[in-house]
Amino acid sequence: MNKNITIAIDGFSSTGKSTLAKELAKHLGYVYVDTGAMYRAVALFAMQNGYIGKDFFDKQSLINSLPHVKLMFKFNPDLGFAEMYLNGVNVEKEIRTIEVSNYVSKVAEISEVRSMLVVQQQEMGKDKGIVMDGRDIGTVVFPDAELKIFMTASPITRAERRFIELQGKGDAVTFEEVLKNVEERDYIDTHREDSPLVKAKDAIEFDNSNISKQEQFQKVLKLIPIKSCFDSKEFL
């Protein structure tokens, strides 16, 4: 009998969803899928092909080109997690820039993009034993997930985290730019017509504005045997 479960982690940008998901997957021996990376890769594809820019967005051309967007995660043993490949090219670094962040929520609004990626995400998780994070995992991708987490934090806190992260990568950005990006993404994510960011009714909310990553990890870990009704020794 397969005792693995599905763990769905949703929430606002820069709340540490991916960090938590990676830690849980590693601890449990589960597969980790960063759905945000998938949307970022499509946004990068749109940028590379001139479909989106500061003052324009040719949505129809992007939609028409979706059959040519091939996404794949490849595990990097040196890093300890899977990296995103777009049409056979490793784009893990490129998709994490502020430029991609500025466009990803607009790309994620497109129903055809969401439909394509949701099908892929559901296929990845059909055998359970998966931790997936994003915006609609617990509401659309895996509405029957055994454990759903919804993460939030104040915009200022999230902008500070993102700013430090980008500075560490050598990106020339200002805090004001990052804060504006966080606030704009929040608005688009929560107001789009197709699969807006909302907390699933059975999700457990975590506001991590004032707790450490380790504290959060331990709190979530304690929920797993309770939610799955398994012997906690199998997980802890």
Side-chain angles (χ1 to χ4, degrees):
M1 180 178 177
N2 183 6
K3 291 186 177 182
N4 289 338
I5 67 172
T6 298
I7 301 176
I9 303 178
D10 291 308
F12 293 92
S13 65
S14 302
T15 50
K17 298 185 300 296
S18 296
T19 299
L20 174 62
K22 288 175 186 176
E23 290 176 341
L24 288 173
K26 182 178 180 180
H27 184 86
L28 299 170
Y30 279 16
V31 173
Y32 163 63
V33 176
D34 175 5
T35 63
M38 299 173 76
Y39 285 101
R40 283 175 172 272
V42 177
L44 179 64
F45 176 86
M47 293 167 61
Q48 291 174 337
N49 288 275
Y51 300 147
I52 193 169
K54 186 176 181 180
D55 302 312
F56 67 93
F57 188 6
D58 186 351
K59 296 181 181 180
Q60 193 56 52
S61 290
L62 175 58
I63 292 170
N64 294 341
S65 298
L66 288 179
H68 303 293
V69 178
K70 306 300 180 185
L71 305 179
M72 181 183 294
F73 286 102
K74 290 185 180 180
F75 185 76
N76 184 327
D78 294 329
L79 296 176
F81 62 86
E83 296 178 295
M84 172 54 65
Y85 282 71
L86 169 62
N87 293 333
V89 178
N90 186 329
V91 293
E92 187 65 29
K93 182 177 180 180
E94 289 83 351
I95 64 173
R96 306 298 175 181
T97 64
I98 190 68
E99 288 80 15
V100 171
S101 295
N102 286 333
Y103 299 131
V104 64
S105 290
K106 295 178 182 178
V107 169
E109 280 188 294
I110 300 175
S111 296
E112 289 84 354
V113 172
R114 302 199 71 82
S115 295
M116 180 185 77
L117 296 189
V118 166
V119 169
Q120 294 181 25
Q121 293 155 10
Q122 290 174 332
E123 179 66 21
M124 292 175 185
K126 65 181 181 179
D127 296 323
K128 297 186 178 290
I130 192 167
V131 185
M132 191 173 288
D133 71 279
R135 301 290 192 280
D136 61 352
I137 311 306
T139 54
V140 176
V141 183
F142 297 122
D144 297 323
E146 290 85 351
L147 177 60
K148 300 178 185 179
I149 302 296
F150 187 86
M151 297 175 64
T152 185
S154 70
I156 291 290
T157 298
R158 290 184 283 128
E160 288 174 344
R161 293 171 180 169
R162 181 69 173 147
F163 180 60
I164 292 171
E165 177 186 355
L166 290 170
Q167 276 195 319
K169 295 178 179 178
D171 291 2
V173 296
T174 66
F175 175 76
E176 289 71 23
E177 285 179 296
V178 177
L179 179 59
K180 180 181 179 183
N181 173 255
V182 166
E183 292 174 336
E184 288 180 346
R185 290 182 66 187
D186 285 355
Y187 183 83
I188 295 173
D189 290 342
T190 55
H191 287 78
R192 63 172 176 248
E193 292 184 10
D194 189 351
S195 306
L197 171 62
V198 293
K199 175 178 172 288
K201 292 181 179 179
D202 53 345
I204 298 171
E205 183 170 338
F206 275 86
D207 185 328
N208 62 15
S209 298
N210 299 303
I211 64 173
S212 68
K213 293 178 182 178
Q214 186 58 30
E215 288 175 318
Q216 177 175 260
F217 174 72
Q218 292 300 328
K219 288 188 178 197
V220 173
L221 197 61
K222 290 178 181 178
L223 296 172
I224 295 173
I226 297 173
K227 295 291 291 188
S228 58
C229 299
F230 300 156
D231 181 351
S232 62
K233 292 181 181 179
E234 295 182 13
F235 294 91
L236 301 177

